[in-house]
Amino acid sequence: MIPKHSDEQSGPAAGLLVVVAVDAEADAVLRGLGGDARPVPLPGGGLRRAVHPSGTVVDVLAGGVGPAAAAAAASAALGAHRYRLVVSAGIAGGFAPAAPVGSTLVASEIVAADLGAQTPEGFQDVEALGFGSVRHRPAPAAVALAAGALGAAVGPVLTVATVTGGAARAAELAARHPGVVGEAMEGHGVAEAAARFGVPCLEIRTVSNPVGPRDRSAWRIGEALAALERAFAALPHPELIKEADGG
Ligand SMILES: O=C(O)c1cccc(C(=O)CC[C@H]2O[C@@H](n3cnc4c(=O)[nH]cnc43)[C@H](O)[C@@H]2O)c1
């Protein structure tokens, strides 16, 4: 694990780091936090700082699409600044019936769903193959606190490198991950980076499309971004940081 920063090295802790993929998601999160944000220097850019009405200092990072970009960006921010909690956030696909379009999700597990190998017995993840881990489990009390405040569905949220585009693949993922609520592309990368810095991590998503057969006419990105804005306005930021930290 990479040692935590000392105050002498980097000044007072920002509190919360929110890692999204693209600027439209960052803008939605920042609107929810109250609007005013200033850029913070970071190699690769994309970092803006806001203060929630609760007084919590929140850094919002647009780190790019996919787990590798998200992990690299989150590591850069975690290496440069002190945080007590990291949240992977953004829009996602929702698994029926738990996660309709416009709903909010909080991950009970952040799972790399396609990190493994095809074998004669079918897909096996790297954990089953004995050389890695595919799962991060956020603190249950923090998950419950966030979900209660947001009226969110709770369950595993998958991280995939390829968006699901068919009913058979959606059914296969649902069978392999009981209780699954969502699919996105960054959570596991962000969680891996946070773990290396010893900082707790949550994943909070709002649903833009159903997971299943590809249907561009069913995407509701504006609705999901509006839900993301509401979520970051409603989160009890100081209490959440305390819970995620272990109370
Ligand atoms: O081309 C498609 O069929 C398609 C369907 C859904 C999303 C995409 C994207 O390229 C968006 C990727 C972006 O948004 C997140 N996201 C949103 N919905 C999903 C999804 O159903 N499965 C995986 N990721 C999704 C993701 O985290 C990325 O940041 C294309």
Short mmCIF file of all heavy atoms in Angstrom, two decimals, residues 90-106 147 150-154 157 180-183 203-211 220-231:
data_model
loop_
_atom_site.label_atom_id
_atom_site.label_comp_id
_atom_site.label_asym_id
_atom_site.label_seq_id
_atom_site.Cartn_x
_atom_site.Cartn_y
_atom_site.Cartn_z
N GLY A 90 -21.23 8.27 -11.90
CA GLY A 90 -21.56 8.54 -13.30
C GLY A 90 -22.80 7.81 -13.72
O GLY A 90 -23.53 7.26 -12.89
N ILE A 91 -23.03 7.80 -15.03
CA ILE A 91 -24.20 7.10 -15.57
C ILE A 91 -23.86 5.62 -15.74
O ILE A 91 -22.68 5.23 -15.72
CB ILE A 91 -24.69 7.73 -16.88
CG1 ILE A 91 -23.63 7.62 -17.99
CG2 ILE A 91 -25.07 9.19 -16.66
CD1 ILE A 91 -24.15 8.04 -19.36
N ALA A 92 -24.91 4.80 -15.88
CA ALA A 92 -24.69 3.35 -15.95
C ALA A 92 -25.86 2.69 -16.66
O ALA A 92 -26.92 3.28 -16.83
CB ALA A 92 -24.58 2.78 -14.53
N GLY A 93 -25.63 1.44 -17.03
CA GLY A 93 -26.73 0.58 -17.44
C GLY A 93 -27.36 -0.04 -16.21
O GLY A 93 -26.66 -0.34 -15.24
N GLY A 94 -28.68 -0.21 -16.23
CA GLY A 94 -29.39 -0.79 -15.09
C GLY A 94 -29.97 -2.16 -15.43
O GLY A 94 -30.50 -2.36 -16.53
N PHE A 95 -29.84 -3.10 -14.49
CA PHE A 95 -30.43 -4.44 -14.68
C PHE A 95 -31.88 -4.40 -14.20
O PHE A 95 -32.18 -3.94 -13.08
CB PHE A 95 -29.66 -5.49 -13.86
CG PHE A 95 -28.37 -5.92 -14.52
CD1 PHE A 95 -27.21 -5.19 -14.34
CD2 PHE A 95 -28.33 -7.06 -15.33
CE1 PHE A 95 -26.02 -5.57 -14.95
CE2 PHE A 95 -27.14 -7.46 -15.93
CZ PHE A 95 -25.99 -6.70 -15.74
N ALA A 96 -32.79 -4.91 -15.05
CA ALA A 96 -34.20 -5.02 -14.68
C ALA A 96 -34.36 -6.19 -13.70
O ALA A 96 -33.62 -7.16 -13.78
CB ALA A 96 -35.04 -5.28 -15.93
N PRO A 97 -35.35 -6.12 -12.78
CA PRO A 97 -36.27 -5.01 -12.57
C PRO A 97 -35.77 -4.02 -11.51
O PRO A 97 -36.44 -3.02 -11.24
CB PRO A 97 -37.52 -5.73 -12.06
CG PRO A 97 -36.97 -6.87 -11.24
CD PRO A 97 -35.68 -7.30 -11.93
N ALA A 98 -34.58 -4.27 -10.94
CA ALA A 98 -34.15 -3.47 -9.76
C ALA A 98 -33.79 -2.05 -10.12
O ALA A 98 -33.90 -1.15 -9.28
CB ALA A 98 -32.94 -4.14 -9.11
N ALA A 99 -33.37 -1.82 -11.38
CA ALA A 99 -32.73 -0.54 -11.69
C ALA A 99 -33.28 0.08 -12.97
O ALA A 99 -32.63 0.04 -14.03
CB ALA A 99 -31.23 -0.77 -11.81
N PRO A 100 -34.46 0.66 -12.90
CA PRO A 100 -35.03 1.30 -14.10
C PRO A 100 -34.27 2.59 -14.47
O PRO A 100 -33.54 3.14 -13.64
CB PRO A 100 -36.47 1.62 -13.69
CG PRO A 100 -36.45 1.66 -12.20
CD PRO A 100 -35.36 0.73 -11.75
N VAL A 101 -34.45 3.03 -15.70
CA VAL A 101 -33.83 4.27 -16.17
C VAL A 101 -34.24 5.41 -15.24
O VAL A 101 -35.40 5.53 -14.84
CB VAL A 101 -34.26 4.55 -17.63
CG1 VAL A 101 -33.92 5.98 -18.03
CG2 VAL A 101 -33.58 3.55 -18.56
N GLY A 102 -33.26 6.23 -14.86
CA GLY A 102 -33.50 7.38 -13.97
C GLY A 102 -33.27 7.05 -12.51
O GLY A 102 -33.21 7.95 -11.68
N SER A 103 -33.13 5.74 -12.18
CA SER A 103 -32.94 5.37 -10.77
C SER A 103 -31.46 5.53 -10.38
O SER A 103 -30.58 5.70 -11.21
CB SER A 103 -33.41 3.94 -10.51
OG SER A 103 -32.63 3.00 -11.23
N THR A 104 -31.25 5.45 -9.06
CA THR A 104 -29.90 5.64 -8.50
C THR A 104 -29.45 4.33 -7.86
O THR A 104 -30.26 3.62 -7.25
CB THR A 104 -29.94 6.79 -7.46
OG1 THR A 104 -30.40 7.96 -8.13
CG2 THR A 104 -28.57 7.05 -6.86
N LEU A 105 -28.17 4.03 -8.00
CA LEU A 105 -27.60 2.78 -7.50
C LEU A 105 -26.42 3.06 -6.58
O LEU A 105 -25.62 3.96 -6.84
CB LEU A 105 -27.07 1.93 -8.67
CG LEU A 105 -27.97 1.79 -9.91
CD1 LEU A 105 -27.24 1.01 -10.99
CD2 LEU A 105 -29.28 1.11 -9.52
N VAL A 106 -26.33 2.27 -5.52
CA VAL A 106 -25.13 2.29 -4.67
C VAL A 106 -24.58 0.86 -4.66
O VAL A 106 -25.33 -0.10 -4.39
CB VAL A 106 -25.44 2.76 -3.24
CG1 VAL A 106 -24.18 2.73 -2.38
CG2 VAL A 106 -26.01 4.20 -3.26
N ALA A 147 -27.39 4.89 0.38
CA ALA A 147 -28.60 4.38 -0.27
C ALA A 147 -29.86 4.94 0.39
O ALA A 147 -30.83 5.31 -0.30
CB ALA A 147 -28.61 2.86 -0.23
N LEU A 150 -30.41 8.54 -0.68
CA LEU A 150 -30.70 8.73 -2.10
C LEU A 150 -31.89 7.92 -2.59
O LEU A 150 -32.29 8.04 -3.75
CB LEU A 150 -29.46 8.32 -2.94
CG LEU A 150 -28.15 9.04 -2.58
CD1 LEU A 150 -27.02 8.56 -3.49
CD2 LEU A 150 -28.32 10.55 -2.70
N GLY A 151 -32.46 7.07 -1.73
CA GLY A 151 -33.52 6.17 -2.18
C GLY A 151 -33.01 5.24 -3.28
O GLY A 151 -33.71 4.97 -4.26
N ALA A 152 -31.78 4.77 -3.11
CA ALA A 152 -31.11 4.01 -4.17
C ALA A 152 -31.28 2.51 -4.01
O ALA A 152 -31.43 2.01 -2.90
CB ALA A 152 -29.62 4.35 -4.16
N ALA A 153 -31.20 1.80 -5.13
CA ALA A 153 -31.10 0.34 -5.11
C ALA A 153 -29.66 -0.04 -4.77
O ALA A 153 -28.72 0.63 -5.19
CB ALA A 153 -31.47 -0.23 -6.47
N VAL A 154 -29.53 -1.11 -3.99
CA VAL A 154 -28.19 -1.57 -3.56
C VAL A 154 -27.94 -2.96 -4.14
O VAL A 154 -28.80 -3.83 -4.08
CB VAL A 154 -28.12 -1.62 -2.02
CG1 VAL A 154 -26.79 -2.21 -1.57
CG2 VAL A 154 -28.32 -0.24 -1.42
N VAL A 157 -22.35 -3.72 -8.54
CA VAL A 157 -22.25 -2.96 -9.78
C VAL A 157 -21.02 -3.48 -10.52
O VAL A 157 -19.92 -3.54 -9.95
CB VAL A 157 -22.15 -1.44 -9.51
CG1 VAL A 157 -21.88 -0.68 -10.82
CG2 VAL A 157 -23.44 -0.92 -8.87
N VAL A 180 -27.29 -8.35 -8.93
CA VAL A 180 -26.63 -7.26 -9.66
C VAL A 180 -27.64 -6.17 -10.02
O VAL A 180 -28.77 -6.46 -10.39
CB VAL A 180 -25.92 -7.81 -10.93
CG1 VAL A 180 -26.91 -8.36 -11.94
CG2 VAL A 180 -25.04 -6.73 -11.56
N VAL A 181 -27.21 -4.90 -9.87
CA VAL A 181 -28.10 -3.79 -10.19
C VAL A 181 -27.60 -2.96 -11.37
O VAL A 181 -28.42 -2.34 -12.06
CB VAL A 181 -28.36 -2.88 -8.96
CG1 VAL A 181 -29.19 -3.60 -7.92
CG2 VAL A 181 -27.06 -2.34 -8.36
N GLY A 182 -26.29 -2.92 -11.61
CA GLY A 182 -25.82 -2.03 -12.67
C GLY A 182 -24.53 -2.47 -13.32
O GLY A 182 -23.83 -3.36 -12.82
N GLU A 183 -24.27 -1.82 -14.45
CA GLU A 183 -23.05 -2.07 -15.22
C GLU A 183 -22.49 -0.73 -15.69
O GLU A 183 -23.23 0.10 -16.22
CB GLU A 183 -23.41 -2.94 -16.43
CG GLU A 183 -22.29 -3.08 -17.43
CD GLU A 183 -22.73 -3.73 -18.73
OE1 GLU A 183 -22.96 -4.95 -18.73
OE2 GLU A 183 -22.85 -3.02 -19.75
N GLU A 203 -19.19 3.28 -4.93
CA GLU A 203 -19.61 3.56 -6.31
C GLU A 203 -21.08 3.95 -6.30
O GLU A 203 -21.92 3.23 -5.75
CB GLU A 203 -19.39 2.34 -7.21
CG GLU A 203 -19.77 2.65 -8.67
CD GLU A 203 -19.28 1.60 -9.68
OE1 GLU A 203 -18.77 0.54 -9.25
OE2 GLU A 203 -19.43 1.86 -10.89
N ILE A 204 -21.38 5.12 -6.89
CA ILE A 204 -22.75 5.63 -6.96
C ILE A 204 -23.05 5.94 -8.42
O ILE A 204 -22.30 6.66 -9.08
CB ILE A 204 -22.91 6.91 -6.09
CG1 ILE A 204 -22.63 6.58 -4.62
CG2 ILE A 204 -24.30 7.51 -6.27
CD1 ILE A 204 -22.65 7.78 -3.68
N ARG A 205 -24.13 5.36 -8.94
CA ARG A 205 -24.45 5.47 -10.37
C ARG A 205 -25.91 5.87 -10.56
O ARG A 205 -26.77 5.52 -9.73
CB ARG A 205 -24.22 4.12 -11.06
CG ARG A 205 -22.78 3.68 -11.10
CD ARG A 205 -22.05 4.28 -12.28
NE ARG A 205 -20.61 4.05 -12.22
CZ ARG A 205 -19.77 4.55 -13.12
NH1 ARG A 205 -20.20 5.25 -14.16
NH2 ARG A 205 -18.48 4.35 -13.01
N THR A 206 -26.20 6.53 -11.67
CA THR A 206 -27.59 6.78 -12.05
C THR A 206 -27.80 6.17 -13.44
O THR A 206 -26.91 6.19 -14.30
CB THR A 206 -27.90 8.29 -12.04
OG1 THR A 206 -26.96 8.98 -12.87
CG2 THR A 206 -27.82 8.84 -10.62
N VAL A 207 -28.98 5.61 -13.65
CA VAL A 207 -29.20 4.72 -14.79
C VAL A 207 -29.67 5.49 -16.03
O VAL A 207 -30.70 6.18 -15.99
CB VAL A 207 -30.20 3.61 -14.42
CG1 VAL A 207 -30.51 2.74 -15.62
CG2 VAL A 207 -29.65 2.78 -13.26
N SER A 208 -28.89 5.35 -17.11
CA SER A 208 -29.21 6.01 -18.38
C SER A 208 -29.85 5.08 -19.40
O SER A 208 -30.45 5.54 -20.37
CB SER A 208 -27.93 6.59 -18.99
OG SER A 208 -26.94 5.57 -19.12
N ASN A 209 -29.67 3.77 -19.19
CA ASN A 209 -30.16 2.79 -20.18
C ASN A 209 -30.29 1.42 -19.54
O ASN A 209 -29.57 1.12 -18.59
CB ASN A 209 -29.15 2.70 -21.36
CG ASN A 209 -27.75 2.34 -20.91
OD1 ASN A 209 -27.00 3.19 -20.45
ND2 ASN A 209 -27.41 1.07 -21.01
N PRO A 210 -31.20 0.60 -20.06
CA PRO A 210 -31.27 -0.77 -19.54
C PRO A 210 -30.09 -1.58 -20.05
O PRO A 210 -29.61 -1.34 -21.16
CB PRO A 210 -32.58 -1.32 -20.13
CG PRO A 210 -33.20 -0.22 -20.91
CD PRO A 210 -32.20 0.87 -21.10
N VAL A 211 -29.61 -2.54 -19.24
CA VAL A 211 -28.61 -3.50 -19.72
C VAL A 211 -29.35 -4.57 -20.51
O VAL A 211 -30.26 -5.22 -19.99
CB VAL A 211 -27.85 -4.15 -18.55
CG1 VAL A 211 -26.89 -5.23 -19.05
CG2 VAL A 211 -27.09 -3.10 -17.74
N ARG A 220 -31.38 7.53 -21.96
CA ARG A 220 -31.91 8.76 -21.34
C ARG A 220 -30.78 9.42 -20.54
O ARG A 220 -30.80 9.45 -19.31
CB ARG A 220 -33.09 8.42 -20.41
CG ARG A 220 -34.28 7.82 -21.10
CD ARG A 220 -35.05 8.89 -21.92
NE ARG A 220 -36.21 8.31 -22.59
CZ ARG A 220 -36.20 7.75 -23.80
NH1 ARG A 220 -35.06 7.70 -24.50
NH2 ARG A 220 -37.30 7.25 -24.32
N ILE A 221 -29.80 9.93 -21.29
CA ILE A 221 -28.60 10.46 -20.63
C ILE A 221 -28.93 11.71 -19.82
O ILE A 221 -28.45 11.89 -18.69
CB ILE A 221 -27.49 10.71 -21.68
CG1 ILE A 221 -27.00 9.35 -22.19
CG2 ILE A 221 -26.31 11.51 -21.07
CD1 ILE A 221 -26.02 9.39 -23.31
N GLY A 222 -29.82 12.57 -20.37
CA GLY A 222 -30.20 13.79 -19.63
C GLY A 222 -30.87 13.46 -18.31
O GLY A 222 -30.58 14.09 -17.27
N GLU A 223 -31.73 12.44 -18.33
CA GLU A 223 -32.42 12.02 -17.11
C GLU A 223 -31.40 11.50 -16.07
O GLU A 223 -31.50 11.79 -14.87
CB GLU A 223 -33.40 10.90 -17.48
CG GLU A 223 -34.67 10.88 -16.69
CD GLU A 223 -35.60 9.77 -17.19
OE1 GLU A 223 -35.95 9.76 -18.37
OE2 GLU A 223 -35.93 8.90 -16.38
N ALA A 224 -30.45 10.72 -16.55
CA ALA A 224 -29.45 10.15 -15.63
C ALA A 224 -28.55 11.26 -15.06
O ALA A 224 -28.19 11.22 -13.87
CB ALA A 224 -28.61 9.10 -16.36
N LEU A 225 -28.20 12.24 -15.89
CA LEU A 225 -27.36 13.34 -15.38
C LEU A 225 -28.12 14.18 -14.36
O LEU A 225 -27.55 14.64 -13.35
CB LEU A 225 -26.85 14.21 -16.54
CG LEU A 225 -25.84 13.52 -17.48
CD1 LEU A 225 -25.51 14.43 -18.65
CD2 LEU A 225 -24.56 13.14 -16.75
N ALA A 226 -29.42 14.37 -14.59
CA ALA A 226 -30.24 15.11 -13.61
C ALA A 226 -30.30 14.35 -12.28
O ALA A 226 -30.22 14.94 -11.20
CB ALA A 226 -31.64 15.35 -14.16
N ALA A 227 -30.41 13.03 -12.36
CA ALA A 227 -30.43 12.20 -11.14
C ALA A 227 -29.07 12.26 -10.43
O ALA A 227 -28.99 12.26 -9.19
CB ALA A 227 -30.81 10.77 -11.49
N LEU A 228 -27.99 12.32 -11.22
CA LEU A 228 -26.64 12.41 -10.63
C LEU A 228 -26.50 13.73 -9.86
O LEU A 228 -25.95 13.76 -8.75
CB LEU A 228 -25.62 12.32 -11.76
CG LEU A 228 -24.17 12.06 -11.39
CD1 LEU A 228 -24.01 10.73 -10.66
CD2 LEU A 228 -23.28 12.08 -12.64
N GLU A 229 -27.00 14.80 -10.47
CA GLU A 229 -26.96 16.12 -9.79
C GLU A 229 -27.74 16.05 -8.47
O GLU A 229 -27.23 16.48 -7.42
CB GLU A 229 -27.58 17.17 -10.72
CG GLU A 229 -27.67 18.55 -10.09
CD GLU A 229 -28.30 19.58 -11.03
OE1 GLU A 229 -28.29 19.38 -12.26
OE2 GLU A 229 -28.80 20.60 -10.50
N ARG A 230 -28.92 15.48 -8.50
CA ARG A 230 -29.73 15.38 -7.27
C ARG A 230 -29.01 14.55 -6.21
O ARG A 230 -29.04 14.85 -5.02
CB ARG A 230 -31.11 14.76 -7.58
CG ARG A 230 -32.06 15.70 -8.31
CD ARG A 230 -33.49 15.16 -8.26
NE ARG A 230 -33.64 13.83 -8.87
CZ ARG A 230 -33.83 13.62 -10.17
NH1 ARG A 230 -33.87 14.63 -11.02
NH2 ARG A 230 -33.97 12.39 -10.64
N ALA A 231 -28.37 13.49 -6.67
CA ALA A 231 -27.69 12.59 -5.72
C ALA A 231 -26.59 13.33 -4.96
O ALA A 231 -26.48 13.22 -3.73
CB ALA A 231 -27.11 11.38 -6.45
#
